[in-house]
Amino acid sequence: MKKLVEVKEFDVITYNKAYKDSDQYVYLDEQSFSYLENLIFTFNESEEADGVDFFTVTTKRHIGKVIRAKNYVGIIQLKNGVLIQILPKIHGSTSIDTKKTFLKMLKSLKNFPTKIFNEANLNTERMNLFEIFIRFYIQEIQMLLKKGMKSAYYEVENNLGVYKGKMLFSQQIKHNTVHKERFYVRYDEFGLNRAENRLIKSTLMKLLKQSISADNVKEIRKLLVNFELVEPSKNYDKDFASVKIDRNTKDYESIITWSKVFLYNRSFTTFEGNSFGKALLFQMDKVFEAYVSHNLKKYIASEWEVSLQDKGYYLFEKRFALRPDIVLRHQNESRIIIIDTKWKVLTNTPNNNYGTSQGDMYQMYAYAKKYETNEIWLIYPMNDEMENGQDIQFNSDDGVQVKVFLLDCHQIESSLLHLISQF
């Protein structure tokens, strides 16, 4: 079984054996630590991703080199097979509860390919995040099979004893100079061996080798029986280019997205490099914003118009666009409420403004002035230090009011209903 190392956001990782059993640090063997460090350097050299956003490498006195996880969560497999599972820090939760809540949060992401899944069958206690994502893929294919796989015309190249379709002269000369009775041809056939199904079969075959979950392996084997008439994809790029999602192939949309993630070892965040096997990482700022926005729209009263990532206002001659996370406009009253989400940990330190950043407050002030409203809300995640629900409010001398609300991610419904009651 592959070794799994579990890390929380902002945890510090060390390879110093003196801290192997420490509650303060996460221990990683020296080889794995080196692979992770090389991975971070690979991120830094990439034009598409910045390793500083994911981890920081520093040196601590008496400990040596350490790596600190930041606010990206998910799973990474290193070159030696070690899996590093990074979970978010969610108030009042065990590891199992955290995974369940995190999965609910992921469903809110616009580009996350699985919106509906059977949580009862996930076995989150026994599965790491990668195995859970495999289970999502399995469930998507099971739904497809219930509705029926799609057939289509597809091109076939073959050396036949009868002539059909179009002769491929270069291949004919190469293969049939002696066997004049044969024909190397290209022709169309109708059946299940279309690009989408080939990609699915290739993905299932790959995951069959990668999965360490007996349940997942069992389900994948059962699914592969349905693809006996389908060939594995010989050219991923060509087959993905052939995929066209329309009204007839809508059931394939999520599956193809997952197939691309698994076949290319791609994440929802892009990396390249040789120091890891696979990586699925999610930026918690974006996850939290989507989670709040998605659920708020469900509970907000009908007289409010909800706009996400609102556009139209700029600073300094349209050089800097303002994009508040949520703008609420009342249909019958001239009221506008601005809501911004921040995945940051506040502290119970009134003298230090509870840890709110000066940059965030400047941003809220700009929203207030441009949208001509003094109703501004900042939403942060609840944490252990702030669980008593302190009433935090900032008032400027010209009437701008910024209220701070702490949201319990486990109890999102009751938390948001409490927030709405204060409008």
Side-chain angles (χ1 to χ4, degrees), residues 71-133:
N71 65 339
Y72 276 73
V73 302
I75 196 155
I76 296 172
Q77 181 181 345
L78 300 177
K79 199 174 182 180
N80 59 356
V82 170
L83 293 169
I84 300 178
Q85 179 170 270
I86 309 168
L87 295 176
K89 281 194 172 179
I90 297 178
H91 164 71
S93 64
T94 63
S95 175
I96 299 169
D97 293 334
T98 295
K99 275 193 282 187
K100 288 181 177 178
T101 300
F102 176 55
L103 294 173
K104 289 180 181 178
M105 297 174 77
L106 285 182
K107 284 199 297 182
S108 302
L109 282 174
K110 185 177 180 180
N111 66 336
F112 191 68
T114 298
K115 301 298 182 184
I116 300 173
F117 50 81
N118 188 346
E119 296 177 37
N121 294 333
L122 285 179
N123 294 324
T124 52
E125 184 176 357
R126 293 172 14 191
M127 287 186 181
N128 63 55
L129 287 174
F130 185 68
E131 295 294 343
I132 291 172
F133 294 147

Side-chain angles (χ1 to χ4, degrees), residues 27 46 57-58 153 168 193 216 218 256 324 354 363 390 407:
Y27 173 76
S46 171
V57 182
T58 57
Y153 284 100
L168 300 179
N193 193 36
N216 280 347
K218 178 182 176 182
I256 293 302
Y354 300 95
Q363 184 183 30
Q390 290 86 338
L407 184 140

Side-chain angles (χ1 to χ4, degrees), residues 146-162:
K146 286 180 180 178
K147 296 179 181 179
M149 294 165 61
K150 303 295 183 183
S151 296
Y153 284 100
Y154 55 91
E155 284 188 348
V156 178
E157 292 183 9
N158 211 342
N159 201 11
L160 301 177
V162 296

Side-chain angles (χ1 to χ4, degrees), residues 36-214:
L36 181 57
E37 185 181 15
N38 290 337
L39 174 59
I40 296 166
F41 293 150
T42 302
F43 288 164
N44 284 333
E45 293 170 0
S46 171
E47 295 180 359
E48 297 179 346
D50 188 352
V52 175
D53 292 335
F54 304 96
F55 303 94
T56 54
V57 182
T58 57
T59 301
K60 281 185 174 287
R61 191 177 179 184
H62 306 307
I63 300 175
K65 195 176 290 184
V66 298
I67 296 173
R68 182 185 292 274
K70 298 187 74 175
N71 65 339
Y72 276 73
V73 302
I75 196 155
I76 296 172
Q77 181 181 345
L78 300 177
K79 199 174 182 180
N80 59 356
V82 170
L83 293 169
I84 300 178
Q85 179 170 270
I86 309 168
L87 295 176
K89 281 194 172 179
I90 297 178
H91 164 71
S93 64
T94 63
S95 175
I96 299 169
D97 293 334
T98 295
K99 275 193 282 187
K100 288 181 177 178
T101 300
F102 176 55
L103 294 173
K104 289 180 181 178
M105 297 174 77
L106 285 182
K107 284 199 297 182
S108 302
L109 282 174
K110 185 177 180 180
N111 66 336
F112 191 68
T114 298
K115 301 298 182 184
I116 300 173
F117 50 81
N118 188 346
E119 296 177 37
N121 294 333
L122 285 179
N123 294 324
T124 52
E125 184 176 357
R126 293 172 14 191
M127 287 186 181
N128 63 55
L129 287 174
F130 185 68
E131 295 294 343
I132 291 172
F133 294 147
I134 292 176
R135 180 52 62 94
F136 288 167
Y137 187 68
I138 290 170
Q139 290 181 357
E140 291 283 350
I141 297 173
Q142 288 170 338
M143 290 174 62
L144 171 69
L145 293 176
K146 286 180 180 178
K147 296 179 181 179
M149 294 165 61
K150 303 295 183 183
S151 296
Y153 284 100
Y154 55 91
E155 284 188 348
V156 178
E157 292 183 9
N158 211 342
N159 201 11
L160 301 177
V162 296
Y163 183 85
K164 61 188 296 188
K166 180 181 179 182
M167 175 79 77
L168 300 179
F169 290 101
S170 60
Q171 297 296 325
Q172 177 71 13
I173 295 170
K174 181 179 178 181
H175 294 279
N176 296 329
T177 303
V178 176
H179 297 282
K180 303 291 187 181
E181 77 283 2
R182 301 192 66 81
F183 305 93
Y184 206 103
V185 292
R186 178 188 293 144
Y187 55 94
D188 289 337
E189 278 197 359
F190 186 79
L192 293 173
N193 193 36
R194 60 188 293 166
E196 294 86 349
N197 295 333
R198 290 195 296 269
L199 290 166
I200 294 172
K201 183 166 185 176
S202 292
T203 308
L204 288 172
M205 291 170 65
K206 180 176 182 178
L207 295 178
L208 185 62
K209 296 176 182 178
Q210 290 187 336
S211 177
I212 59 174
S213 163

